[in-house]
Amino acid sequence: MSDTTHPAVPATDGPPARRDRTHWLYIAVIIAVVGGILVGWLAPDLGKALGPLGTMFVNLIKMMIAPVIFCTIVLGIGSVRKAATVGKVGGLAIGYFLAMSTVALGIGLVVGNLLDPGSGMNLGQDAGAGAQYADQAHAGGGTVEFVQGIIPTSLLSALTGGSVLQALFVALLVGFAVQAMGSAGEPVLRGIGVIQKLVFRILSMILWLAPIGAFGAIANVVGRTGLDAVLQLGTLMIAFYLTCLVFVFGILGVLMWSVSRVSIFKLCRYLAREYLLIVATSSSESALPRLIAKLDHLGVERTTVGVVVPTGYSFNLDGTAIYLTMASIFIADAMGQPLTLAEQLGLLVFMIVASKGAAGVTGAGLATLAGGLQSHRPDLLDGVGLIVGIDRFMSEARALTNFSGNAVATVLIGTWTGTIDKVRVGEVLDRRIPFDERTMLDDEHGDAAEQAPASSTEKKLVTA
């Protein structure tokens, strides 16, 4: 099969030439990150003043998330003849997210008890600021408020309000409506297809501002926290980062290889630029539009990508789950008031539920952590202030782990539902079908797509 696709390689000389320009973009991001660290360290006040640069860049990316989700899902569902296919994907996604988040919470609990990163640390004098984060958690509401918040005030407000779940909800409604219209809905699909091309063109233009955003974001973080906070609480950070690595490569990687025969190392290499973007901005949302485009290019059916990825960004927070349990144990140990096994299990159950709505709360990690401690051990609430200084650094590991978990989930659910072209996955991960950085859409790969009939045909058969 691979021999039939090799002739397509010469025809892809055009796109790689265009991709070379984007290499300079990501080299510039790396330089900007280093420069931001130096500025924040040597001139903290200047670093703090540069913070808005990072905020504005992330806001530009967030501005594009709702249109990307809307176009992807409507085009995907509108071209699927059986609505049951979408329901099957959504049901599997929710079940998988619940299971893996529970596993992640359990891992954080086990590692936290084995390493005891907070033992022997006299950090009580730095405690405080926990109440305000608990208030943020309460402001997020309970389960009823969370579900109620999925319904937008109007059809168009879902695309302007900044809520991923609202955009997903409206896109599903429109997609099913277009699907029910049959051939009469084809003009709608063609129009949305044109809008999708426009959206990704705008996104590619915004990404050229990534070095500026990265410089401002990193300078602000280092300027506010300094390097001393990082060194003081380095044990917890190292333990957390190592736990996230074990979870991604040890658990998710083994699971994906067992089910889909896809290498986690090749998938991470394929998503390397998205990882860099997340590290530079400390936000997994900055890479969400590109993740949707890349998984579609990888060979996962568009409907599966459109349902799993946006849902995962609100429900599949593996990195946040690990963080919640490890941080709870760290705070208790650092304050000299360790949690009993019963308290840890009770906290685990609470976090399983609370972590599902964490994405809807400002300062999600700290707010959910404070809410859990307040409900189980109010005397530890002020201990949240112990990790405020390094939370931003740990948020990068959370974001990277959440991102990886959603990418793996899409591949797994695509395999279980038969909506993935395994031949194309191999070709893409082996770099025989490059991702078009200029358009981010497969239909503009041109000759490369036309000269690889085996993969294109098989994809149509699998997703029909």
Side-chain angles (χ1 to χ4, degrees), residues 105 240 319-329 347 351-352 354-355 358 364-370 398:
L105 285 165
F240 179 60
T320 302
I322 296 172
Y323 165 83
L324 290 174
T325 47
M326 288 191 67
S328 299
I329 293 175
L347 192 63
M351 295 300 187
I352 289 175
S355 63
L366 285 174
T368 308
L369 173 63
R398 293 201 301 266

Side-chain angles (χ1 to χ4, degrees), residues 291-367:
L291 178 62
I292 290 176
K294 278 204 162 181
L295 289 175
D296 182 29
H297 172 75
L298 183 66
V300 183
E301 201 269 333
R302 184 170 288 172
T303 305
T304 300
V305 175
V307 172
V308 175
V309 174
T311 306
Y313 261 67
S314 291
F315 289 93
N316 190 36
L317 306 174
D318 298 330
T320 302
I322 296 172
Y323 165 83
L324 290 174
T325 47
M326 288 191 67
S328 299
I329 293 175
F330 170 82
I331 289 172
D333 290 345
M335 296 185 71
Q337 305 175 52
L339 294 167
T340 65
L341 180 60
E343 289 172 335
Q344 290 182 24
L345 293 177
L347 192 63
L348 175 65
V349 174
F350 174 87
M351 295 300 187
I352 289 175
V353 178
S355 63
K356 295 295 171 282
V361 182
T362 303
L366 285 174

Side-chain angles (χ1 to χ4, degrees), residues 61-75:
I61 296 293
K62 288 182 178 180
M63 176 182 72
M64 306 305 299
I65 290 177
V68 167
I69 292 174
F70 180 81
C71 293
T72 301
I73 293 180
V74 173
L75 290 174

